[in-house]
Amino acid sequence: MTQSLPRLRLGTRGSPLALWQAHAVRDALLKAHGWEAEAVEIQVIRTTGDAITDRALSQAGGKGLFTKEIEEALLERRIDLAVHSAKDMATRLPDGLHLVGYLPRADVRDALILREGWSLAGLKPGAKVGTASLRREAQLRRLRPDLEVSLLRGNVQTRLAKVASGEFDATLLALAGLTRLGLADKASEVLNTADFLPAVGQGAVAIESRQRDLAVDSLLVPVLCPPTGLALRVERAFLAELDGSCRTPIAGHAQIHGDEIRFRGAVLSPDGTQYYEVVRHGPVNRALELGLAAGREMRALVPPDLLPA
């Protein structure tokens, strides 16, 4: 293949944040290999999740709605790589695909965007907060049961606009996404993970490829972040053990400290009145086992009606 033709075809959703992620992977590859710009082609693929805007993802099929069509293109060899937000990834991937790894992880915290004021504690009782995340809704209801929480779908810009217009008093977004789009100044308050745990994979950009496509995977080695990969291995194992989906409020965050992994996970009832937490730590070479053990511990704690059978 000549230098004037794309070496790699990279598939992504078309939202501004998804395009930022795709360009970040593309730029990292160009820099790592000294390629010219045309060596990596970005292909925008519309997903089912992009088309559904009138209901929560938990009512439409859960995780996978933002990846299905991109993964089909990957399996059909119309693209060579897929770039996703790691928190959108199902724990079970289609046969023939795997996660090669991740770019360095950004800040995992959630940000509160307010039309007026500067803090969650300062929101007036009955204020209307928009979100499409069951995890955010449950944690919000746990901390502020006096607020009105309503569905708010759409990309970052859409959600910000609905707060600015007064349709909602507040919304919650990932700080990483705001920062990547140059909108970090829109955050009224950054929520501490001690009170508001992030989604599994939040802040991480995932790269997916075909299994046994060693030529493509080898090209990615210089751009991948091993510590992020270890953290996500724990978090995704925890989620997989719980059979987690968009139908259950589940949160989890793993951090690497030298040769040790520290993990904290939580499961809530949708109304936030029930909260269950596990904390685990162990060596980095036991990341998978640590995540699975945390999931088993959580399953033993949580009432059966909160988790899939």
Side-chain angles (χ1 to χ4, degrees), residues 12-15 17-19 21 47-50 57 61-71 83-94 99 102 105 132-133 135-136 153-156 159 174 180 199-208 232 235-236 239 244-246:
T12 178
R13 294 170 58 209
S15 73
L17 184 54
L19 289 172
Q21 295 175 159
T47 69
T48 302
D50 296 314
L57 295 181
K63 285 185 180 290
L65 292 176
F66 286 122
T67 61
K68 179 177 179 290
E69 286 78 8
I70 301 174
E71 290 174 330
V83 177
H84 310 280
S85 175
K87 66 184 179 65
D88 290 338
M89 301 297 293
T91 53
R92 294 180 178 86
L93 302 182
L99 287 173
Y102 310 86
R105 194 176 201 173
S133 163
R135 173 192 62 86
R136 288 177 178 143
R153 288 286 315 279
N155 62 32
V156 170
R159 299 185 208 190
R180 287 164 175 164
V200 163
Q202 187 155 306
V205 177
I207 307 172
E208 186 179 24
L232 267 289
E235 293 176 19
R236 287 178 57 78
L239 193 64
S245 72
C246 289

Side-chain angles (χ1 to χ4, degrees), residues 48 57 62-63 78 115 140 148 159 165 199 206 223-224 227 235 238 264 266 276 297:
T48 302
L57 295 181
K63 285 185 180 290
R78 290 184 278 122
R115 188 164 61 90
L140 189 62
E148 177 189 345
R159 299 185 208 190
S165 71
V223 310
L224 301 179
E235 293 176 19
F238 170 73
R264 181 168 156 243
Y276 304 89
E297 181 183 349

Side-chain angles (χ1 to χ4, degrees), residues 27-255:
D27 292 347
L29 284 166
L30 297 182
K31 181 178 180 181
H33 297 290
W35 291 341
E36 298 296 329
E38 64 266 23
V40 181
E41 175 188 25
I42 293 176
Q43 294 187 14
V44 173
I45 298 170
R46 184 171 172 81
T47 69
T48 302
D50 296 314
I52 298 172
T53 59
D54 61 344
R55 59 192 186 278
L57 295 181
S58 59
Q59 300 172 354
K63 285 185 180 290
L65 292 176
F66 286 122
T67 61
K68 179 177 179 290
E69 286 78 8
I70 301 174
E71 290 174 330
E72 288 173 351
L74 193 53
L75 287 167
E76 293 167 5
R77 297 184 175 272
R78 290 184 278 122
I79 57 173
D80 303 301
L81 294 172
V83 177
H84 310 280
S85 175
K87 66 184 179 65
D88 290 338
M89 301 297 293
T91 53
R92 294 180 178 86
L93 302 182
D95 291 342
L97 301 182
H98 74 145
L99 287 173
V100 191
Y102 310 86
L103 295 186
R105 194 176 201 173
D107 197 315
V108 303
R109 293 176 295 174
D110 284 298
L112 180 69
I113 294 89
L114 298 169
R115 188 164 61 90
E116 297 177 351
W118 298 103
S119 70
L120 178 59
L123 263 176
K124 63 184 180 183
K128 185 177 181 181
V129 183
T131 182
S133 163
L134 280 184
R135 173 192 62 86
R136 288 177 178 143
E137 179 177 353
Q139 292 192 102
L140 189 62
R141 291 185 185 281
R142 176 175 178 251
L143 296 172
R144 287 290 309 271
D146 57 316
L147 299 177
E148 177 189 345
V149 185
S150 301
L151 176 67
L152 174 55
R153 288 286 315 279
N155 62 32
V156 170
Q157 289 81 355
T158 297
R159 299 185 208 190
L160 291 176
K162 292 199 173 187
V163 172
S165 71
E167 187 173 343
F168 292 85
D169 295 303
T171 190
L172 292 157
L173 293 166
L175 179 61
L178 289 170
T179 302
R180 287 164 175 164
L181 294 172
L183 298 169
D185 62 330
K186 300 294 184 182
S188 304
E189 181 182 14
V190 178
L191 302 177
N192 194 307
T193 58
D195 299 317
F196 217 93
L197 264 181
V200 163
Q202 187 155 306
V205 177
I207 307 172
E208 186 179 24
S209 73
R210 291 182 290 273
Q211 289 178 346
R212 296 178 294 279
D213 199 339
L214 301 182
V216 168
D217 287 0
S218 66
L219 293 172
L220 289 163
V221 171
V223 310
L224 301 179
C225 178
T228 298
L230 286 169
L232 267 289
R233 188 175 301 170
V234 177
E235 293 176 19
R236 287 178 57 78
F238 170 73
L239 193 64
E241 186 67 25
L242 297 177
D243 194 25
S245 72
C246 289
R247 298 178 184 85
T248 306
I250 298 174
H253 181 215
Q255 294 175 287

